[in-house]
Amino acid sequence: MRKIMLFFSMFALLLLTACGNSASKDSIDVIKFADAGWDSIRVHNSIAQIILEKGYGYKTEVVNGTSTATFQALQQGDINVYTEVWSDNLGEAYTKAIDSGDIETVATNFDDNSQGLYVPTYVIKGDPERNIEAVAPDLKTVKDLEKYPELFQDPENKKMGRIIGAPSSWLVSKYLDEKITTYGLDKKFMYLAPGSDSAIVADLASAYKKGEPWVGYYWSPTWVTASYDLTLLEDEPFDQAAWDKDKTGEFPPNDVFVSVHKDLKTQAPEVVEFLSHYETSSALTEEALEYMGENDAKPEDTAKWFMKEHEDLWTQWVPEDVAEKVKAAL
């Protein structure tokens, strides 16, 4: 009898262990989102989090890190959802992750974006209201910068100009550095990779307030490009071969995807179904970011405002009963 009882006890233990392992792989209680360090991904995360928490009853978390680190975490399953995968900026890393099956792209969040080197428009056209004269009326392209190093003088090396780049932890910083070398601008300009997005904005805001020349990297949609009158310097039309060789030409057209770890389809199929309908645009994203900047609002508050303003949009992403729960919570 004791042997029989021992057998059933061991069987029950094995069964519980098996069930525990199965649950950890085939179900999920907390959906983890990637925060790679910029405002738009934080707003899109917040929109999706509100819908998942209020409409589906899930708990959510945000994992902070660089774009490279958070993308690796998505591949490993430590992060479940990435609401803004800038696919071409990630380049080969994105392609490999898709080919290996570690992640799945379920929707295109938006694809009408731009990035590159910007200058305040008053540098080219002036600003009569602020009594600012145009100091570089012939500045149209990235290559034209070679004529104006003294205009964008580096404060630490006054014989050189200064181009503000992307944070060194972003892959795009490497691309910019190579482009500047390819165009020979490194002979006349220092390339500065700031520590964060906020450092770029602080430098731009300081120059803009004083009406001083400034040139640096940014992208759209952002509250920065919505709030400041900036001009994106032109470049040669995008050509994949030229870009791959030495980063000549415009940045590749970036499809900004919503991607998930491969296991999420099994763990939470209704979540993936919702995310597969998640689609905005550059204009809509910039509208949210402009509100965020003007009102010094947190991402969650911005998300709530956006969802009230565009109820007709997000209610198409989810079943009617889920939409009603979310609307009631808002």
Side-chain angles (χ1 to χ4, degrees), residues 101-261:
D102 291 334
I103 72 167
E104 292 188 30
T105 288
V106 297
T108 300
N109 191 336
F110 54 87
D111 58 8
D112 52 343
N113 52 80
S114 59
Q115 61 179 320
L117 294 178
Y118 284 84
V119 298
T121 301
Y122 59 69
V123 170
I124 301 170
K125 298 182 178 180
D127 185 348
E129 292 185 9
R130 299 177 63 194
N131 294 317
I132 299 174
E133 294 184 5
V135 290
D138 297 325
L139 177 59
K140 294 181 180 179
T141 71
V142 174
K143 290 183 177 179
D144 286 341
L145 286 170
E146 66 179 2
K147 307 173 189 174
Y148 300 103
E150 71 286 347
L151 195 63
F152 304 98
Q153 190 179 73
D154 185 292
E156 297 178 5
N157 185 349
K158 298 187 184 300
K159 294 181 180 180
M160 302 283 281
R162 184 179 70 172
I163 294 173
I164 301 296
S168 57
S169 59
W170 296 4
L171 287 174
V172 70
S173 183
K174 178 183 176 183
Y175 301 158
L176 280 165
D177 200 3
E178 186 176 349
K179 176 187 285 288
I180 287 167
T181 301
T182 296
Y183 290 0
L185 295 174
D186 58 318
K187 296 178 177 63
K188 296 184 178 182
F189 284 85
M190 303 295 292
Y191 175 72
L192 176 65
S196 65
D197 172 30
S198 59
I200 305 175
V201 177
D203 197 75
L204 167 61
S206 176
Y208 201 96
K209 185 177 181 180
K210 298 172 186 175
E212 296 176 346
W214 183 92
V215 59
Y217 171 78
Y218 225 73
W219 71 98
S220 175
T222 62
W223 73 265
V224 172
T225 49
S227 302
Y228 293 100
D229 186 2
L230 304 176
T231 294
L232 177 64
L233 294 179
E234 297 174 11
D235 211 332
E236 295 176 27
F238 173 72
D239 176 79
Q240 189 67 59
W243 179 262
D244 291 342
K245 179 183 177 184
D246 55 16
K247 301 301 177 281
T248 293
E250 296 174 344
F251 278 80
N254 242 307
D255 290 325
V256 180
F257 294 130
V258 179
S259 297
V260 300
H261 184 260

